[in-house]
Amino acid sequence: MSASKRKKLLAGNWKMNIRLAEVEPFFTAFSDVLKAGQSDHVDILFAAPFTQLNATLAASRARGFAVGAQNMHFEASGAFTGEVSAAMLTDIGVRTTLVGHSERRQYFAESDEAVAKKTVTALANAITPVVCVGETLEERKSGATFQVVSRQLETVFKAVKNHGPLANREAFYPGDLTDSIVIAYEPVWAIGTGLSATLEQAQEVHGFIRKVCGDIFGAEFSFRLRILYGGSANLANIAGLLAQPDIDGGLVGGASLKPADFATMCNAAKR
Ligand code: PGA
């Protein structure tokens, strides 16, 4: 088997953007540019704000795209004002969520332990967690990139290991991801800055992530793991990123808000 056997995955992270009235026009414009048959080459996911999930599901499901949340609480229910549980996501048909995005870690004080608990809760509810890891600029400058990424990953993977075997699951809806887990490498210094990691920097960390995963879950699982790159991925750099042996797609913020640009990025994906 060659590494090209992993289907590419392009995920748009809308963050706190896209008003309700913009959802349907977004998908019309996106679908106008997306090449026919491109879903053979790339899975496409939209991570929408909670209040826009229903509309995003309605617009995307018929077109075969997956929809995810951007966050989720690890407890099943209770006195957690402002939070949303896994079962609340599956109630409306959401089967994917971002977990541990650096903005959650940075602005909402999410610890490695909380990220690990959320990941385990997602798995227990048949939700695919897209777990985000990545170093800050200071950490990269001080040569701590691999140490930080392995600490973030190992906290999650060890918690997951106690949860039981990781098996890819069935799709609940057309377009759903079937991965048990997806990892996104997002160097914090590259997010929203226009300063993407170089292809070499990105590939180096992606290869490392696959190795850490293999050490814990074995070669077969780590071969199947999709690892996304995020951090100023755009029209100009996406083809080069997707050509790297261990980069299986992108988690795209700013550029995913422009439907034609994001569709063109999806068009760059080849199996
Ligand atoms: P960006 O964001 O593409 O705007 O850098 C990526 C992300 O935060 O997921």
Side-chain angles (χ1 to χ4, degrees):
M1 276 201 293
S2 78
S4 63
K5 285 277 172 11
R6 286 184 298 271
K7 190 178 178 184
K8 298 291 191 283
L9 167 59
L10 266 277
N13 175 11
W14 284 351
K15 308 191 180 185
M16 199 169 72
N17 296 294
I18 304 282
R19 298 287 301 276
L20 213 48
E22 296 174 292
V23 172
E24 186 54 43
F26 178 97
F27 281 98
T28 305
F30 179 83
S31 302
D32 280 350
V33 176
L34 188 70
K35 280 193 287 200
Q38 192 56 12
S39 59
D40 292 344
H41 297 280
V42 60
D43 290 329
I44 300 171
L45 167 74
F46 293 93
F50 288 130
T51 53
Q52 322 306 58
L53 283 170
N54 269 321
T56 306
L57 284 164
S60 63
R61 188 162 288 156
R63 296 168 165 116
F65 310 137
V67 173
Q70 299 173 5
N71 183 34
M72 186 199 81
H73 200 267
F74 50 79
E75 293 289 352
S77 63
F80 301 100
T81 302
E83 293 293 323
V84 168
S85 73
M88 290 170 182
L89 294 180
T90 60
D91 271 351
I92 61 164
V94 169
R95 291 285 174 176
T96 302
T97 187
L98 306 184
V99 174
H101 189 280
S102 65
E103 287 150 18
R104 301 291 320 165
R105 296 178 189 256
Q106 195 180 340
Y107 305 134
F108 302 94
E110 269 187 29
S111 63
D112 291 340
E113 287 69 29
V115 173
K117 281 188 195 171
K118 289 181 180 199
T119 304
V120 169
T121 298
L123 294 171
N125 285 274
I127 290 174
T128 301
V130 179
V131 180
C132 305
V133 299
E135 81 288 0
T136 63
L137 187 59
E138 295 68 42
E139 289 163 342
R140 175 157 287 264
K141 279 187 176 158
S142 68
T145 298
F146 295 102
Q147 194 189 323
V148 168
V149 169
S150 72
R151 186 201 74 224
Q152 292 172 332
L153 278 178
E154 280 174 11
T155 313
V156 168
F157 284 159
K158 284 183 181 151
V160 167
K161 191 141 194 174
N162 295 329
H163 160 84
L166 271 179
N168 283 14
R169 59 172 176 74
E170 81 274 22
F172 288 83
Y173 304 101
D176 262 357
L177 307 188
T178 55
D179 314 62
S180 50
I181 189 169
V182 173
I183 301 294
Y185 169 57
E186 297 205 309
V188 178
W189 48 272
I191 294 177
T193 58
L195 189 76
S196 165
T198 65
L199 302 182
E200 295 71 26
Q201 285 172 325
Q203 166 55 31
E204 187 184 28
V205 180
H206 279 238
F208 175 74
I209 290 171
R210 202 174 301 288
K211 186 187 167 306
V212 171
C213 177
D215 290 345
I216 296 176
F217 292 110
E220 198 194 319
F221 181 79
S222 83
F223 177 79
R224 283 190 285 120
L225 178 73
R226 292 200 282 192
I227 308 173
L228 313 182
Y229 169 79
S232 298
N234 58 34
L235 270 177
N237 60 24
I238 192 69
L241 287 163
L242 295 180
Q244 303 305 305
D246 289 299
I247 299 184
D248 306 310
L251 180 55
V252 184
S256 78
L257 298 174
K258 299 179 197 140
D261 281 10
F262 190 50
T264 306
M265 291 171 76
C266 293
N267 286 342
K270 289 220 168 46
R271 249 201 126 111

